Amino acid sequence: MQPAIQHVDPMAMLNPAQRVAAEYGEVPSEGGVRAGPLLVIAGAGTGKTMTLAHRVAYLLQSGVSPERVLLLTFTRRAAQEMIRRVESILRKSATGAQASPLPSGGLPWSGTFHSVANRLLRRYASNLGLDPGFSVLDRGDSADIMDVVRHEQKLTRTARRFPKKDTCLAIYSRCVNTLKPLSETLDETFPWCSDWTDELTELFRHYVLRKQQNQSLDYDDLLIYWKHLVAEKEFAEAIGSCFDHVLVDEYQDTNLVQADIIKALKPNGDGVTVVGDDAQSIYSFRAAEVENILGFPDQFMPSAQVITLEQNYRSTQSILDSANCLIAESERQYRKNLFSELGNGGKPQYVTVEDGEAEAEYVVTEILRNRELGMALKEQAVLFRGSHHSDRLELELVRRNIPYVKYGGLKFLEAAHVKDLLAVLKWAENPKNEVAAFRVLKLLPGMGPANASRCFEHVTLADHLFSSLREFRPPAAAAEQWPAFCDLLDSLSSAEFDERGWHTQITQVRRWYQPQLERLYDSLETREADLEQLEQISGRYPTRERFLTELTLDPPSAAGDRAGDPFLDEDYLILSTVHSAKGQEWESVFILNVSDGNFPSEFATGKPEMIDEERRLLYVAMTRAKQSLSLIAPLRYHVTQQRRDGDKHVYGARSRFMSDPLLATMKKDFRGRKDGKDGRLGSGSDKRIDVGARMREMW
């Protein structure tokens, strides 16, 4: 006899507002959930992910098929975490012999906007004039193509400075994602490039043509092709009808193209649930549009239901009082007043210090004091507006032998040796991939740009068949290795190859690549470890195409992107830009350089909307703290390249965000440096000189 299934209410752990959001809609007699458009405004620390996971679990328990749920996130890890939570909720809600979490396939249509776009575009490739085997370019590959086209258009030989490849790519990407004409984009965001409007137009035209010739799509293309696909009513209805519910996480970070896609899939908003916080919209430099979330309710008739989550589970009330006061100054927003049941705690501190050196000394001293009181280093974080703001602090940390991790820097897949190995697989996957071909060919000795170009033309004329490589005469330096190189590409591109065993291909490529690695690079041990890691990662993917595409769309990080290897120590401090800290939390948070010109940035003070985003950025920084929060404002900053003991410096003005009402919620303090500690001129004598009396005697 099988044990009875014990049903547990999965919604019991939710607060009233969370529960209303999770259970929104009607359950008809035939099962499923009918719901109009829903906007969940989830303040910082209010359990956004938990609420969305319970929403998905509720839909599945009500009879909605997992295949008919489209869940869109901004990282693959966020999608995976959502599935894990949904499985946990389902497991807890039905325990017993027949309890079953999600099917083995999980949520088949969960992932990032770009990964879902990639899957759909391959299905509709013939309708879009695409080869189903098209390549996806990462940012580095896209910039390389842009650079090739720059040279071909002779834009590198101009008498005046023409934008570099990365700037050109940034301009192109912003035009595409904001749906604005080039001239307007240049005037608003890249004014120093406004004189090059005609040349940039021609450059972007050839850039698009080159990608199409290579059957390659960059990140922006994935969204644009999807947008154009669903712009046709026939395809929009066909794709939209496959999903009963469309859920979008972090909706405040969507751009106009992404918002248009959602609207095209569900014109009436049926089954659409978006979750986000307008107060945490901080990615306009990536073309994120805060108006998407602010204007969401008015996109539909009737208007979308708006549910606001205000109970914070992260921070003390004192921290929330300061954060609420800061964000209240924003003119256009969804009004919310975050509250906590975690107690008041100590007031946030607003600390003024003499200069950057005193700031570093203060922060490190407080961090060590917290550590002695039982707070681990990794439970503390130092946040800053720009990555260079931590330079002095890092020197002080090294001096005091404090290990730390700094979020940012070189990503794993941007390492040259990793890109080399992946390029071999990319060329085998798509013989028209010019960027991958050039990178692979130039790995061989004697194969410079000219020979690589000549070889690729040879393969192109042979209908992109790798067998034609055997007829090509390589330079003398590469002749000895050429047969093995041809054998490798023949094997990787063989039509008889069993896709299920594709993982052995990485071993093949590594074996061929090892002599090139030893010849081209140093630090072999670290590089070989990275390639081993890549080989291990490949085991998670069923096909080569999935491996290459998803790795490009959502690359992992490695220890190489951090300042020192934190795993050599039992504990380490967290340093991070505010942008990189979003979604994180720590017991104690220090925010550097809270003065005008830094917070807000001097580059973001031109327009009211830019000031608003800077305010939201500071709000995000403040709401990362759970127990302790300190905002530090140096009184002066030494001018770059001036002598340490010189008098060339600028004085820091109080940040415009630090209003009197906000300061009233904080504890104010001044921390000066002890005399002589920094090696400046100073005396240890107690002798006093009454200059005042002497001056009086003069008259």
Side-chain angles (χ1 to χ4, degrees), residues 160-446:
R160 294 180 296 121
R161 180 183 62 151
F162 190 78
K164 291 187 175 182
K165 63 179 183 179
D166 291 325
T167 303
C168 292
L169 186 64
I171 296 170
Y172 170 84
S173 181
R174 192 163 188 87
C175 284
V176 168
N177 287 296
T178 60
L179 304 177
K180 291 181 178 179
L182 175 60
S183 57
E184 186 175 341
T185 299
L186 293 177
D187 289 342
E188 289 184 356
T189 314
F190 302 90
W192 64 93
C193 303
S194 296
D195 292 341
W196 297 103
T197 303
D198 293 340
E199 290 83 354
L200 286 168
T201 301
E202 190 68 9
L203 172 66
F204 296 159
R205 187 174 72 83
H206 283 88
Y207 172 66
V208 170
L209 288 172
R210 179 61 60 90
K211 288 187 296 179
Q212 293 176 353
Q213 291 168 1
N214 295 344
Q215 284 293 309
S216 300
L217 302 184
D218 61 24
Y219 288 167
D220 303 320
D221 291 334
L222 292 170
L223 298 182
I224 289 296
Y225 271 76
W226 189 5
K227 172 182 162 65
H228 282 291
L229 178 65
V230 295
E232 300 295 325
K233 189 175 180 181
E234 173 189 353
F235 297 117
E237 290 180 347
I239 298 171
S241 65
C242 294
F243 306 110
D244 295 327
H245 292 271
V246 178
L247 302 99
V248 186
D249 192 16
E250 303 286 7
Y251 194 69
Q252 79 280 349
D253 295 336
T254 56
N255 59 36
L256 292 176
V257 176
Q258 292 162 326
D260 284 350
I261 290 170
I262 300 300
K263 187 69 185 295
L265 291 176
K266 297 292 179 181
N268 299 321
D270 294 336
V272 175
T273 299
V274 302
V275 182
D277 183 9
D278 57 298
Q280 298 186 71
S281 179
I282 59 174
Y283 292 111
S284 66
F285 65 94
R286 296 180 186 169
E289 180 56 69
V290 69
E291 285 298 322
N292 285 349
I293 193 168
L294 291 173
F296 181 82
D298 301 327
Q299 293 181 6
F300 309 99
M301 291 297 293
S303 298
Q305 177 73 36
V306 181
I307 298 173
T308 304
L309 308 182
E310 295 182 305
Q311 183 172 354
N312 179 285
Y313 295 93
R314 174 187 300 156
S315 308
T316 61
Q317 190 60 53
S318 295
I319 293 174
L320 296 180
D321 288 342
S322 296
N324 287 334
C325 187
L326 170 70
I327 204 64
E329 297 294 326
S330 290
E331 291 186 5
R332 188 152 186 248
Q333 60 169 306
Y334 291 101
R335 297 289 171 181
K336 55 186 150 320
N337 188 48
L338 300 185
F339 67 93
S340 172
E341 296 180 354
L342 300 176
N344 285 326
K347 282 188 174 184
Q349 291 200 98
Y350 177 68
V351 184
T352 51
V353 295
E354 291 181 23
D355 53 25
E357 293 181 4
E359 180 181 53
E361 290 173 11
Y362 166 75
V363 170
V364 173
T365 300
E366 291 300 305
I367 286 168
L368 291 177
R369 180 179 289 120
N370 290 341
R371 181 174 177 270
E372 291 303 313
L373 293 173
M375 186 183 296
L377 291 177
K378 63 178 66 177
E379 293 176 343
Q380 306 179 67
V382 183
L383 308 183
F384 29 85
R385 175 65 179 84
S387 60
H388 63 286
H389 288 176
S390 67
D391 290 350
R392 289 183 181 272
L393 176 63
E394 291 181 57
L395 293 175
E396 186 69 10
L397 291 171
V398 172
R399 188 178 74 81
R400 299 226 205 164
N401 194 32
I402 300 174
Y404 66 94
V405 173
K406 185 175 180 181
Y407 292 136
L410 189 67
K411 301 298 182 188
F412 175 57
L413 293 189
E414 293 172 357
H417 52 288
V418 176
K419 296 195 70 165
D420 290 345
L421 192 144
L422 289 176
V424 180
L425 295 174
K426 288 180 178 180
W427 194 21
E429 184 70 20
N430 177 11
K432 298 179 182 178
N433 191 328
E434 185 179 14
V435 174
F438 269 61
R439 187 175 192 100
V440 173
L441 290 167
K442 288 190 293 184
L443 292 175
L444 292 163

Side-chain angles (χ1 to χ4, degrees), residues 542-569:
T543 66
R544 185 173 68 189
E545 180 273 316
R546 284 277 299 276
F547 170 70
L548 294 172
T549 301
E550 294 192 21
L551 218 60
T552 301
L553 295 176
D554 191 13
S557 297
D561 69 346
R562 299 180 170 97
D565 189 348
F567 306 107
L568 297 177
D569 203 289

Side-chain angles (χ1 to χ4, degrees), residues 421 424-425 428 440 466 469-470 481-494 504-513 544:
L421 192 144
V424 180
L425 295 174
V440 173
F466 288 120
L469 286 171
R470 298 185 185 277
Q481 298 186 24
W482 196 252
F485 177 63
C486 294
D487 290 343
L488 175 69
L489 286 173
D490 277 345
S491 174
L492 296 179
S493 61
S494 172
T504 61
Q505 292 188 345
I506 292 191
T507 305
Q508 283 182 267
V509 177
R510 282 190 62 192
R511 199 175 291 127
W512 171 83
Y513 179 61
R544 185 173 68 189

Side-chain angles (χ1 to χ4, degrees), residues 464-687:
H464 298 282
L465 295 174
F466 288 120
S467 57
S468 65
L469 286 171
R470 298 185 185 277
E471 304 165 4
F472 179 78
R473 179 175 292 181
E480 184 178 348
Q481 298 186 24
W482 196 252
F485 177 63
C486 294
D487 290 343
L488 175 69
L489 286 173
D490 277 345
S491 174
L492 296 179
S493 61
S494 172
E496 300 176 359
F497 183 78
D498 186 356
E499 190 71 57
R500 290 173 298 180
W502 81 269
H503 310 93
T504 61
Q505 292 188 345
I506 292 191
T507 305
Q508 283 182 267
V509 177
R510 282 190 62 192
R511 199 175 291 127
W512 171 83
Y513 179 61
Q514 186 66 31
Q516 322 307 330
L517 181 69
E518 295 173 357
R519 178 172 55 85
L520 295 170
Y521 304 111
D522 53 8
S523 305
L524 287 181
E525 186 176 342
T526 302
R527 297 178 188 274
E528 287 171 346
D530 282 343
L531 298 181
E532 288 176 10
Q533 181 181 349
L534 190 69
E535 193 166 4
Q536 291 174 3
I537 292 173
S538 71
R540 308 173 193 169
Y541 300 89
T543 66
R544 185 173 68 189
E545 180 273 316
R546 284 277 299 276
F547 170 70
L548 294 172
T549 301
E550 294 192 21
L551 218 60
T552 301
L553 295 176
D554 191 13
S557 297
D561 69 346
R562 299 180 170 97
D565 189 348
F567 306 107
L568 297 177
D569 203 289
E570 63 180 3
D571 199 11
Y572 47 88
L573 179 69
I574 307 297
L575 308 185
S576 176
T577 63
V578 181
H579 286 100
S580 297
K582 188 172 176 291
Q584 305 297 314
E585 60 183 39
W586 296 275
E587 293 293 328
S588 180
V589 169
F590 301 84
I591 307 174
L592 302 184
N593 293 331
V594 185
S595 58
D596 236 52
N598 293 310
F599 248 130
S601 167
E602 61 183 325
F603 300 109
T605 56
K607 297 180 180 179
E609 56 267 27
M610 298 171 72
I611 294 292
D612 277 346
E613 178 157 334
E614 290 291 302
R615 180 182 288 105
R616 295 194 295 267
L617 192 63
L618 182 56
Y619 174 83
V620 168
M622 292 171 65
T623 53
R624 300 310 95 194
K626 299 165 71 174
Q627 295 289 333
S628 170
L629 173 64
S630 297
L631 282 64
I632 304 109
L635 293 178
R636 66 178 188 174
Y637 298 85
H638 286 282
V639 177
T640 305
Q641 296 179 339
Q642 297 297 329
R643 289 174 54 121
R644 184 168 177 266
D645 291 318
D647 60 356
K648 299 264 182 105
H649 54 264
V650 295
Y651 287 93
R654 190 173 89 179
S655 171
R656 68 193 71 187
F657 299 146
M658 303 307 297
S659 63
D660 290 339
L662 175 56
L663 288 173
T665 68
M666 310 181 80
K667 179 183 177 182
K668 296 177 284 295
D669 194 8
F670 172 76
R671 298 293 180 93
R673 183 188 293 105
K674 295 180 180 179
D675 290 341
K677 186 173 179 181
D678 62 351
R680 295 183 183 184
L681 295 176
S683 172
S685 173
D686 294 328
K687 183 177 180 179

